[in-house]
Amino acid sequence: MTDEKTSQERIFSFDDQQTTIEDYKEGQLVEKGIIYGLTDIIKINEFAWYCISQGNKNNYRSYFDNVKGTFEFYEKGQLCKRVIFNGIEVKYAQVWNQDGQEILTNGSGETSDTSENGDEQFYVKYSDSTLVMYYGVRIQKQDTIYYTVDKLAAPKEGVQSFYNRLFKVLKYPGFARLAGIEGRVYIEFIVDERGKLIEFKPLTNEGYNFEAKVIKKLEKFPDWNPAVYQNKFVKTRRVLPVVFRLED
C-alpha cells in the first residue's frame, strides 16, 4: 500500500471464489490466509486485520457476518496456529509450541510465550477450540494487560461521537494535502484501569506526519470507560484506525 520499500510485504492471489494473502516480514512468512466472500481490496485488508488480531472485537465490521477465512500463523518460519473465522465466530483448529508439538487436545489446552522484545510474558488458555483467557504480564512495568475481557474499553460518549470529535480537531497534514497524498494509519494505545489513554504507538509508517497528528490529538482526549474482566477494571490495548482522505 506504499511506493516505498519496507521490511513487510503482502502478496495477494485472487480467483472467483477466494483471496489468498501471504504476509512476510524481513522476507519470512508470518501469516497466510484464505478469505471467502470479499472482492474489495480495502475490505479484504480490514478482514485480514481482524483475523490477524485473532478476532479482536474492536476490529469487527458488520459486513464480516457473511465472510469466512482460514489463517495460519508462523513464528520463525514454523507453523504455530491454524484459526478458522466464520463471521464473528473464531475457532482454533490447532496450536503448536516452539518444538512443533500440538497444544490442543479435543480443542482444549494452555500455552505461554514471550514478546519479541522480551518485555511481556503472554498466557493463553483454550477450551472447545475457543480462546477463553489471554493476558500479558509486563516485567519491567510490573502490570498486566488483558486481551480477553468481559466488556471492552470504550469512549464514554460512544464510538461515533468519539470519532466525530477526533475528525473535528484533526487537521490534514499540509504537505500531504498539497501533494494529494492520502493515508490509512493504525495507532495502538493502552486504556488503563481508570480509563486513561496512555502509551501511544504507531503501527504504521505512512509518513507526512499522519501518525504524529493523530497521537498528538489523542493525548488530549478525555478518559474512556475502562475494560472489565471478572467484575474488575483492567488494562487493555486498543488499536485505532484513522483514514486521511481528500475530498473530490
Side-chain angles (χ1 to χ4, degrees):
M1 306 300 288
T2 177
D3 294 332
E4 299 179 4
K5 182 67 175 178
T6 72
S7 63
Q8 301 183 74
E9 181 180 22
R10 172 167 290 175
I11 297 176
F12 297 87
S13 301
F14 302 95
D15 64 30
D16 293 337
Q17 303 297 324
Q18 65 190 45
T19 301
T20 301
I21 69 168
E22 294 180 343
D23 286 349
Y24 292 85
K25 185 176 183 180
E26 304 291 353
Q28 195 167 62
L29 181 66
V30 291
E31 293 113 15
K32 181 178 181 180
I34 302 175
I35 298 172
Y36 307 87
L38 291 175
T39 56
D40 179 80
I41 191 68
I42 298 297
K43 292 183 176 181
I44 288 171
N45 279 327
E46 287 184 338
F47 184 72
W49 179 258
Y50 167 71
C51 295
I52 291 168
S53 71
Q54 296 182 49
N56 188 319
K57 294 178 181 178
N58 299 321
N59 302 325
Y60 195 80
R61 304 289 181 268
S62 59
Y63 64 83
F64 293 173
D65 289 348
N66 299 315
V67 182
K68 297 180 181 180
T70 301
F71 270 69
E72 293 180 344
F73 298 88
Y74 296 80
E75 291 182 1
K76 299 179 180 180
Q78 180 175 299
L79 178 63
C80 61
K81 294 176 186 175
R82 182 175 291 123
V83 191
I84 300 169
F85 300 86
N86 187 359
I88 200 169
E89 184 181 66
V90 180
K91 291 292 185 180
Y92 288 77
Q94 189 52 267
V95 178
W96 292 265
N97 64 18
Q98 295 178 348
D99 298 324
Q101 298 173 326
E102 294 183 349
I103 296 295
L104 303 186
T105 301
N106 296 325
S108 298
E110 298 182 16
T111 184
S112 62
D113 197 6
T114 306
S115 62
E116 289 185 5
N117 56 14
D119 66 347
E120 189 169 356
Q121 184 72 30
F122 302 110
Y123 299 90
V124 187
K125 182 178 180 179
Y126 304 90
S127 179
D128 192 26
S129 298
T130 302
L131 179 65
V132 295
M133 184 179 69
Y134 178 20
Y135 65 92
V137 177
R138 299 198 294 182
I139 300 169
Q140 292 185 347
K141 292 184 178 293
Q142 296 184 338
D143 64 358
T144 301
I145 307 295
Y146 288 82
Y147 298 96
T148 53
V149 295
D150 301 319
K151 187 176 181 180
L152 297 171
K156 293 181 179 180
E157 71 271 35
V159 174
Q160 189 57 54
S161 295
F162 168 82
Y163 266 110
N164 291 341
R165 180 201 293 255
L166 179 61
F167 294 151
K168 186 176 181 179
V169 300
L170 192 60
K171 294 183 179 180
Y172 210 101
F175 183 78
R177 180 183 294 276
L178 291 173
I181 303 296
E182 299 183 335
R184 175 185 294 266
V185 304
Y186 290 89
I187 306 298
E188 179 185 271
F189 56 93
I190 286 176
V191 184
D192 72 9
E193 302 94 327
R194 298 167 295 174
K196 292 188 177 299
L197 311 186
I198 59 175
E199 298 185 36
F200 298 93
K201 175 185 175 182
L203 299 182
T204 51
N205 185 22
E206 290 287 325
Y208 302 99
N209 215 27
F210 284 127
E211 287 85 359
K213 288 277 188 181
V214 177
I215 291 176
K216 185 176 181 179
K217 296 302 181 183
L218 288 176
E219 287 175 336
K220 300 178 181 179
F221 265 52
D223 298 348
W224 285 21
N225 291 321
V228 178
Y229 180 68
Q230 294 185 349
N231 296 319
K232 68 177 182 179
F233 297 132
V234 296
K235 283 185 179 178
T236 188
R237 277 197 172 94
R238 288 293 304 260
V239 175
L240 182 73
V242 178
V243 177
F244 288 85
R245 183 171 296 139
L246 294 169
E247 296 180 355
D248 295 332

